[in-house]
Amino acid sequence: MPGSMTDARSARRRFALAAGLLASACVAPKVVQAPPPRVPVPVVAPPPPATTDWRDIPLTPGDWRYAAEAGGSAARFGRAGATADFTVRCATATRTVTLARSVATPVAAATMAITTSAGNRAFAVAPDGGAALGIAVPARDPFFDRMAFSRGRFVVAVSGTARLVIPSWPEFARVIEDCRG
């Protein structure tokens, strides 16, 4: 019987081994999940550097509006339905062109600097009787040609107001030509 003990132990071991193998076969295989899909990170371009070149500054929102008036003509630049930011007015009797910049609070005097692609000029401006600062200039002044033919825009800067970057559209030139007539 001693041999049968060994056989019994061996049989138990084989049974335990077979039971373990059988049990392991019943367990669901371990599912390896794929990593979640990579979400691309949006590349945000850095903002463009602030420019100091007036030719790269966006135009001031608004449009030119031309109108014939008693004694001349005028072109006004600004947003529709609002007070014009900049006005060019012709007085045909005196052949003068008035440049006027609207202001929130009139001041005694200021300087209007105009920048064009052909050069710059500064004018001493004074209140024009309303909420604007202006200057009357002879219509034949060659600086008006510089403004009219300035590569798509000119800049008007009056101390104490926001700078205007104005398109040099035909309405402006028409007022000058009306006055030179």
Side-chain angles (χ1 to χ4, degrees):
M1 296 240 141
S4 67
M5 283 281 276
T6 307
D7 288 337
R9 271 192 216 157
S10 178
R12 272 190 243 148
R13 278 190 202 150
R14 280 190 299 237
F15 178 75
L17 181 61
L21 287 173
L22 190 60
S24 68
C26 293
V27 175
K30 184 176 180 182
V31 177
V32 178
Q33 293 184 350
R38 292 178 57 167
V39 177
V41 177
V43 176
V44 179
T51 181
T52 57
D53 189 341
W54 67 275
R55 294 169 294 192
D56 296 329
I57 300 170
L59 292 171
T60 301
D63 291 308
W64 280 104
R65 292 176 301 288
Y66 172 87
E69 296 181 341
S73 60
R76 293 171 181 80
F77 179 80
R79 294 177 188 220
T83 302
D85 293 320
F86 187 70
T87 302
V88 180
R89 180 172 280 116
C90 165
T92 53
T94 60
R95 299 284 181 221
T96 58
V97 174
T98 301
L99 304 174
R101 168 70 166 105
S102 63
V103 292
T105 308
V107 294
T111 300
M112 178 187 295
I114 299 177
T115 303
T116 72
S117 58
N120 308 327
R121 185 153 173 202
F123 299 94
V125 291
D128 72 347
L133 297 171
I135 180 78
V137 180
R140 295 259 174 225
D141 190 312
F143 193 72
F144 290 128
D145 296 320
R146 290 180 177 180
M147 292 173 72
F149 297 109
S150 182
R151 296 184 181 149
R153 65 183 62 208
F154 58 88
V155 176
V156 176
V158 175
S159 35
T161 66
R163 171 178 55 190
L164 299 174
V165 182
I166 302 174
S168 52
W169 290 352
E171 293 84 351
F172 171 82
R174 184 170 177 191
V175 171
I176 304 306
E177 289 306 311
D178 289 347
C179 237
R180 288 178 176 173

